[in-house]
Amino acid sequence: MTESTHHDNAHGHGHDGHDHDEHDDYHGTVKGYTIGFLLSVLLTAIPFWLVMAKVLPSSGITAAVILGFAVVQIVVHMVYFLHMNTKSEGGWNMLALIFTIVIVVITLAGSLWVMHHLNVNMMPMPHEMRNMP
């Protein structure tokens, strides 16, 4: 072993297989899990309060705000509990996430489109209801 290699290994600067990025300070620590838990509780309590207290005038606006909180909560869970970021697993986690989001959007949009058209085209009209036996 050369002098410089021995010096690097003695001070912990050698390659020991444990490369830690400096931006991973919240991942896997009690502080990170506590922050994630508190954000999750807050992101659940606020929509619950919005619905129970009927804070917003329209149910459509309330639903849109709740969906916004749901998206933020999904991101909080992925970052603080699943430890996903753009660097994890060489970027494959992010690619898998993008693919999943695309599939979910296509499935939900298609399902809503089909249900809307079934509702419009299959439900009897009020004037047709009078002629029914």
Side-chain angles (χ1 to χ4, degrees), residues 2-67:
T2 64
E3 181 65 33
S4 65
T5 305
H6 177 70
H7 177 71
D8 287 343
N9 286 336
H11 292 293
H13 298 291
H15 297 284
D16 58 357
H18 298 289
D19 295 329
H20 297 287
D21 294 331
E22 296 189 14
H23 65 282
D24 286 341
D25 54 346
Y26 291 121
H27 296 281
T29 64
V30 174
K31 181 179 180 181
Y33 287 125
T34 304
I35 291 171
F37 175 73
L38 293 175
L39 286 173
S40 296
V41 168
L42 186 67
L43 292 169
T44 301
I46 292 173
F48 183 79
W49 170 73
L50 288 174
V51 171
M52 296 306 289
K54 298 184 194 277
V55 175
L56 300 175
S58 167
S59 62
I61 294 172
T62 304
V65 170
I66 289 173
L67 284 175

